[in-house]
Amino acid sequence: MTVTIYDVAREAKVSMATVSRVVNGNPNVKPATRDRVNEVIKRLNYRPNAVARGLASKKTTTVGVIIPDISNVYYSELARGLEDIATMYKYQTIISNSDNDAQKEQEIFNNLLSKQVDGIIFLGGTLSKETTNIIKTSSVPVVVSGTHDLDASLPAVNIDYVNASKEITEKFVQDGVKKFAFVGGGYSEKAQIDILEGMKSVLSANNIKLDDASIYIGQEQYLDGEKAYEAIKSQNPEVIMCISDEQAIGIVHAVQDDGKDIPNELQVISFNNTRLVKMVRPKLSSVMQPLYDIGAVGMRLLTKYMNDEQIEESKVTLPYSIVYRGTTK
Amino acid sequence: MTVTIYDVAREAKVSMATVSRVVNGNPNVKPATRDRVNEVIKRLNYRPNAVARGLASKKTTTVGVIIPDISNVYYSELARGLEDIATMYKYQTIISNSDNDAQKEQEIFNNLLSKQVDGIIFLGGTLSKETTNIIKTSSVPVVVSGTHDLDASLPAVNIDYVNASKEITEKFVQDGVKKFAFVGGGYSEKAQIDILEGMKSVLSANNIKLDDASIYIGQEQYLDGEKAYEAIKSQNPEVIMCISDEQAIGIVHAVQDDGKDIPNELQVISFNNTRLVKMVRPKLSSVMQPLYDIGAVGMRLLTKYMNDEQIEESKVTLPYSIVYRGTTK
DNA sequence: GTGAAAGCGCTAACAC
DNA sequence: GTGTTAGCGCTTTCAC
């Protein structure tokens, strides 16, 4: 029924080995033979069985992707970048949603290993200690994109959130801002830690306090923005620094509904830089980060590991820039 | 190095066949033997090789997903629904972006077949004639979610765009609207055809003309919304019906920048119902469609085909509702 | 209830 | 350049 390499060999009057050579582009085949084999392949509509090939060669040209939630704009942008590079290097991607749940992560990881993927890329979210440990004992290469493991020992690609946060905070301090607030939550525990670290270092250097009542940790969602504002408004912040764009947009609307003017009475800035930033009025000030590239570079790094290429640097830090749009003065 | 079924068999003093039975939950194993085997599996940390299993059993528990663009909010929502159901039925998903390009679709399709996927789900976009033909000759089941093939012969899940369009158009006609405009483009050729069909049937029944100058076909993107408005504003439409939310939001902002009041001077309604609809002010009126479910139901349908379950209906039409929010009167 | 053995479709030595 | 052969790790008859 299905055409196998054996059928092709018989029909072309060569051995399976020769057919295999032709299919795999091995140069040690006489052009005439090659042509004959190719003709038969076409005529019989032969399609190599990747599963059999995977079993024999121990390479599946498949990589696993563990992602918190593909329907989240931020992550789907990373996924697109990663997938494009994978395709470029002839890999297919098995994508699974973890909801940033440590147990699901581990199940997915084991499934991927059992499918004999050549490599795994872990996106965003937070890497739990257990997951990190399992990863470290595995023999397939793993790259982390858009987050770190807790002790930053795995190959990873990121932007420098600490610095971005410092830069922004300094700018506001120089503008005379005294009351800061921070809004985080969702999958971005690592970003949260970094951004708070940046804020706190600058603020304490300037003797400005960031008390707990001005920190809100919720969900990275639009509707949660309202809750966030509700939670911190009594502190009368002059600036709200928010990880997620979607949440920030929720805040902007909640503030406006509260009758306050943005940016004159309250400024908002976010760190995600999804396409959403331009879809609000006023446009959202944000840290521009190359989402697509974070995914793409992560996958490129993974291909290097999978092909045993020389790795200069297992940690890649991509540049960011800060764009002050309408929600800041 | 890697532990195989043979290692487990030797260690547990049984044959490979018995280990295989235990792993696959075959009941014909004495409980005592089962326990012993399970103990060894655990001790040796044995993990079945899915590739070998796939080769032997001709089932890979993997399904292929062909999607126009995973970074598009609309499609990533479908993808999430589909993936959840796949996980529930123990399938993994290989996801590839086609950019709605017929040639890429076919390449992806062939790659998936070569990987011996148990089924394929085709999302959104437009199915070209060639792709449709290839699909029809393939032996793996294929389900189409969020679009139809041109002669609607493949199993598919959709909402009834024609009716939704009629309903909306009738409402506006009753409100006395005389000048309609339509904005489409991007991946949604099928939706476009259906929506225009619905509009035209109602309009012609009411002797209202929809001339070509009031139809704009562009890209499903925010920035394209401005272009769309630029292109049709000279026609002074009272209502713009737009497939994509993102594009519709672009239109809303372009209209506002033009100094016109929404909804009093111009009304806008869209058909995608992504999360974006609530993230603009005024909130976007739109056709509510169950994106997550379109993906989920599609995958459920596919599992039925893969498991040779009874199929009552190969075409599923999911309900929609029309929500008039702030961009309509 | 359990084992032996034949494949699944391919790659990768190795020989010629 | 090309063919032979032995696996890759598992499932699946078929015996017993």
Side-chain angles (χ1 to χ4, degrees), chain B residues 81-325:
Chain B
L82 160 179
E83 218 269 313
D84 282 355
I85 303 299
T87 302
M88 190 178 299
Y89 284 87
K90 311 282 185 205
Y91 286 95
Q92 266 83 55
T93 52
I94 296 183
I95 300 183
S96 302
N97 298 101
S98 71
D99 291 316
N100 207 33
D101 175 292
Q103 197 183 330
K104 280 194 198 173
E105 281 167 12
Q106 288 157 43
E107 272 171 32
I108 295 170
F109 196 81
N110 282 323
N111 281 335
L112 292 173
L113 290 184
S114 122
K115 292 244 158 137
Q116 315 299 119
V117 294
D118 296 338
I120 294 178
I121 190 155
F122 188 100
L123 286 190
T126 311
L127 258 167
S128 67
K129 206 165 290 177
E130 308 88 56
T131 310
T132 309
N133 286 335
I134 294 182
I135 290 177
K136 284 185 184 162
T137 64
S138 101
S139 53
V140 308
V142 176
V143 166
V144 172
S145 267
T147 187
H148 290 295
D149 51 314
L150 292 176
D151 58 354
S153 54
L154 293 170
V157 9
N158 280 287
I159 67 156
D160 187 342
Y161 270 129
V162 178
N163 251 322
S165 173
K166 278 188 188 168
E167 227 180 284
I168 292 171
T169 311
E170 251 153 24
K171 186 261 187 199
F172 284 127
V173 168
Q174 270 163 22
D175 289 353
V177 172
K178 299 275 182 228
K179 291 287 294 176
F180 287 78
F182 172 81
V183 171
Y187 306 130
S188 317
E189 201 174 293
K190 178 63 179 138
Q192 198 166 293
I193 293 170
D194 288 353
I195 293 168
L196 274 172
E197 181 189 324
M199 285 179 78
K200 283 179 178 168
S201 83
V202 172
L203 291 183
S204 73
N206 289 275
N207 292 314
I208 299 176
K209 237 179 59 190
L210 179 70
D211 45 328
D212 289 349
S214 295
I215 298 179
Y216 173 88
I217 308 298
Q219 305 289 315
E220 290 175 327
Q221 283 163 6
Y222 178 79
L223 289 177
D224 196 61
E226 296 174 14
K227 287 194 205 160
Y229 179 60
E230 219 43 60
I232 54 179
K233 67 186 270 197
S234 63
Q235 302 296 311
N236 292 310
E238 299 164 72
V239 162
I240 300 177
M241 290 169 66
C242 178
I243 301 182
S244 151
D245 293 344
E246 202 174 313
Q247 213 173 355
I249 293 176
I251 292 175
V252 167
H253 286 153
V255 171
Q256 289 172 336
D257 292 349
D258 196 31
K260 287 214 170 126
D261 180 69
I262 289 184
N264 291 317
E265 297 177 70
L266 178 51
Q267 304 184 69
V268 178
I269 190 163
S270 77
F271 285 78
N272 268 183
N273 189 44
T274 61
R275 330 234 283 283
L276 301 178
V277 296
K278 293 183 183 155
M279 298 192 205
V280 234
R281 294 301 157 89
K283 288 177 189 163
L284 194 58
S285 299
S286 73
V287 175
M288 287 258 280
Q289 48 171 308
L291 300 183
Y292 180 95
D293 294 347
I294 291 176
V297 171
M299 182 56 79
R300 178 64 188 104
L301 184 56
L302 186 60
T303 63
K304 288 186 185 171
Y305 279 102
M306 295 188 295
N307 300 321
D308 295 317
E309 288 178 45
Q310 182 72 35
I311 316 272
E312 300 89 35
E313 192 47 78
S314 70
K315 306 262 183 296
V316 182
T317 303
L318 260 28
Y320 65 85
S321 66
I322 300 169
V323 183
Y324 296 97
R325 300 191 184 84

Side-chain angles (χ1 to χ4, degrees), chain A residues 164-269:
Chain A
S165 172
K166 278 188 188 167
E167 228 179 279
I168 293 171
T169 312
E170 250 153 24
K171 186 262 187 198
F172 284 126
V173 168
Q174 270 162 23
D175 289 353
V177 171
K178 298 278 182 228
K179 291 288 293 177
F180 287 79
F182 172 82
V183 171
Y187 305 130
S188 317
E189 200 174 294
K190 177 65 179 139
Q192 197 166 294
I193 294 170
D194 288 353
I195 294 168
L196 274 171
E197 181 188 324
M199 284 180 78
K200 284 178 177 167
S201 83
V202 172
L203 292 183
S204 74
N206 289 275
N207 293 313
I208 299 176
K209 237 180 55 188
L210 178 70
D211 45 327
D212 288 349
S214 296
I215 298 179
Y216 173 87
I217 308 298
Q219 305 290 313
E220 289 175 326
Q221 284 162 6
Y222 178 80
L223 289 176
D224 195 61
E226 295 173 14
K227 287 193 205 159
Y229 179 60
E230 217 44 58
I232 54 179
K233 67 186 271 195
S234 63
Q235 302 295 312
N236 291 310
E238 299 164 72
V239 162
I240 299 177
M241 290 169 67
C242 178
I243 301 182
S244 151
D245 294 343
E246 204 174 312
Q247 213 173 355
I249 293 176
I251 292 175
V252 168
H253 287 152
V255 172
Q256 290 172 335
D257 292 348
D258 196 30
K260 288 214 170 128
D261 180 70
I262 288 183
N264 291 316
E265 296 178 70
L266 178 51
Q267 305 184 68
V268 177
I269 190 164

Side-chain angles (χ1 to χ4, degrees), chain B residues 60-86:
Chain B
T60 55
T61 63
T62 304
V63 303
V65 179
I66 305 178
I67 190 169
D69 179 10
I70 192 66
S71 70
N72 179 306
V73 205
Y74 178 81
Y75 292 114
S76 66
E77 196 82 39
L78 294 185
R80 179 66 212 237
L82 160 179
E83 218 269 313
D84 282 355
I85 303 299

Side-chain angles (χ1 to χ4, degrees), chain A residues 16 84-85 107 131 135 139 151 169 174 189 192 216 226-227 261 277 286 289 316 320:
Chain A
M16 309 166 43
D84 282 355
I85 303 300
E107 271 170 33
T131 310
I135 290 177
S139 53
D151 57 354
T169 312
Q174 270 162 23
E189 200 174 294
Q192 197 166 294
Y216 173 87
E226 295 173 14
K227 287 193 205 159
D261 180 70
V277 295
S286 73
Q289 48 171 309
V316 181
Y320 64 86

